[in-house]
């Protein structure tokens, strides 16, 4: 309407402006459609951030911008971390996976993050046991608190491999243990007095000795039974021979003695 009396130049200008607005709108819609529902990019303190907090995710999203510096996947329902889950994020500095349902972390899940990642939060999940290989070459500060850990040699090796976030060690509590008295206690306090790997080795050695002793007992028992059975058969045969006529008895005794020898 503003261009109704201004000639064709104004109409062309308005047409170009409308095309630009439509193009920008299409770009925004395409960009939004590429991200899972509840996820959005932002910039915090000069760092490119991607937030998916409380997005009801059941897996790690695939369409995360590869220039992301801070990734928040907290408060979702992610059950496990597969191999190479973050391999396309070479510039990632912080990774928050807290308050999920993570019960399994595959070896190589954090592959590609060793060079830059300096913060990894796995607190408040369902981790019971994780191999130390899952964190190999990772230099990040790691938070493993508030998980139902099985306190054993594997956890001891894991704790000695990772660099824990300051103050988080008291939250690594035994959810289960071979020793019932350890349940509910902070693991780092326990390993100050107990070497779980040495206890495991002793238990394994004792089990092996018990197994070997069992087999040895079975072999000896069989040998004793075999000897006694043969002796009983020989005795019965000799008694039988004694009941025979003298000539036949001497012949059979000679045969029996040679057989026994």
């Amino acid at each position: 309407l503003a261009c109704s009396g201004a000639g064709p130049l104004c109409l062309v200008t308005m047409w170009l402006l409308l095309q630009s607005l439509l193009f920008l709108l299409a770009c925004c819609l395409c960009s939004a459609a590429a991200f899972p529902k509840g996820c959005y990019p932002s910039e915090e303190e000069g760092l490119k951030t991607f937030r998916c907090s409380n997005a009801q995710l059941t897996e790690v999203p695939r369409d995360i911008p590869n220039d992301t510096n801070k990734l928040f996947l907290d408060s979702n329902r992610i059950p496990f971390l597969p191999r190479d889950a973050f391999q396309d994020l070479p510039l990632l500095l912080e990774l928050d996976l807290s308050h999920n349902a993570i019960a399994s972390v595959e070896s190589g899940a954090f592959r590609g993050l060793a060079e830059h990642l300096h913060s990894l939060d796995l607190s408040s999940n369902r981790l019971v046991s994780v191999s130390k290989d899952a964190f190999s070459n990772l230099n990040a500060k790691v938070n493993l608190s508030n998980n139902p850990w099985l306190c054993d040699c594997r956890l001891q090796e894991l704790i000695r491999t990772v660099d824990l976030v300051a103050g988080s060690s008291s939250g690594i509590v035994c959810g289960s243990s071979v020793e019932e008295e350890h349940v509910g206690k902070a693991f780092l306090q326990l390993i100050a007095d107990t070497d779980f790997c040495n206890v495991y080795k002793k238990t394994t050695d004792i089990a092996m000795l018990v197994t070997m002793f069992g087999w040895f007992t079975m072999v000896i028992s069989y040998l004793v039974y075999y000897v006694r059975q043969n002796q009983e058969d020989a005795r019965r045969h000799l008694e039988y021979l004694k009941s025979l006529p003298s000539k036949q008895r001497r012949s059979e005794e000679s045969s029996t003695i040679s057989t026994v020898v």
Side-chain angles (χ1 to χ4, degrees):
L1 293 176
C3 291
S4 58
L9 182 61
C10 183
L11 292 174
V12 171
T13 302
M14 291 296 293
W15 172 252
L16 291 175
L17 181 61
L18 180 61
Q19 290 279 27
S20 298
L21 290 173
L22 289 173
F23 177 75
L24 290 174
L25 180 61
C27 289
C28 290
L29 290 174
C30 289
S31 177
F35 302 137
K37 183 179 179 181
C39 300
Y40 62 92
S42 64
E43 189 166 324
E44 300 178 7
E45 300 176 351
L47 297 174
K48 292 187 176 181
T49 303
F50 193 75
R51 286 190 175 273
C52 289
S53 304
N54 289 295
Q56 299 191 15
L57 298 176
T58 56
E59 63 180 2
V60 176
R62 297 180 181 179
D63 299 317
I64 303 172
N66 57 14
D67 60 350
T68 298
N69 303 127
K70 298 171 69 174
L71 176 59
F72 293 87
L73 299 174
D74 56 299
S75 303
N76 284 289
R77 291 181 277 180
I78 300 172
F80 76 102
L81 300 179
R83 185 186 301 271
D84 297 323
F86 307 98
Q87 64 175 347
D88 297 326
L89 302 173
L91 302 180
L92 197 62
L93 302 175
E94 297 182 23
L95 176 57
D96 189 348
L97 291 160
S98 64
H99 296 90
N100 271 281
I102 299 171
S104 174
V105 180
E106 290 187 0
S107 296
F110 304 111
R111 185 158 46 196
L113 301 182
E115 186 175 351
H116 294 96
L117 193 70
H118 63 71
S119 176
L120 172 61
D121 194 344
L122 283 166
S123 63
S124 300
N125 276 283
R126 299 178 184 174
L127 295 171
V128 175
S129 184
V130 178
S131 171
K132 64 178 181 179
D133 296 335
F135 298 89
S136 60
N137 302 319
L138 201 63
N139 298 317
K141 295 282 187 180
V142 182
N143 189 345
L144 298 174
S145 62
N146 298 321
N147 283 281
W149 291 106
L150 168 62
C151 290
D152 60 359
C153 179
R154 201 178 193 195
L155 180 58
Q156 180 173 307
E157 290 180 339
L158 173 62
I159 295 300
R160 290 175 175 174
T161 300
V162 300
D163 186 8
L164 296 175
V165 172
S168 68
S169 60
S170 60
I172 302 175
V173 176
C174 299
S176 59
S177 177
V178 175
E179 299 292 337
E180 191 67 27
E181 61 186 21
H182 292 161
V183 176
K185 294 183 179 179
F187 187 65
L188 264 68
Q189 293 180 357
L190 293 174
I191 59 176
D193 302 317
T194 305
D195 187 343
F196 282 78
C197 294
N198 190 41
V199 169
Y200 174 77
K201 184 176 182 302
K202 287 181 178 179
T203 303
T204 304
D205 291 344
I206 291 172
M208 186 177 295
L209 287 173
V210 170
T211 302
M212 291 177 63
F213 179 76
W215 279 106
F216 181 75
T217 302
M218 289 176 62
V219 171
I220 294 298
S221 299
Y222 175 76
L223 289 175
V224 170
Y225 169 79
Y226 180 80
V227 170
R228 288 182 176 177
Q229 187 66 29
N230 283 349
Q231 286 178 343
E232 183 65 21
D233 290 343
R235 185 184 63 79
R236 290 175 180 175
H237 191 61
L238 288 173
E239 289 179 353
Y240 167 73
L241 292 176
K242 289 178 181 180
S243 65
L244 295 175
S246 58
K247 288 184 179 180
Q248 185 178 358
R249 182 175 61 202
R250 280 195 293 269
S251 175
E252 291 287 344
E253 283 178 351
S254 299
S255 176
T256 301
I257 291 171
S258 62
T259 302
V260 171
V261 173

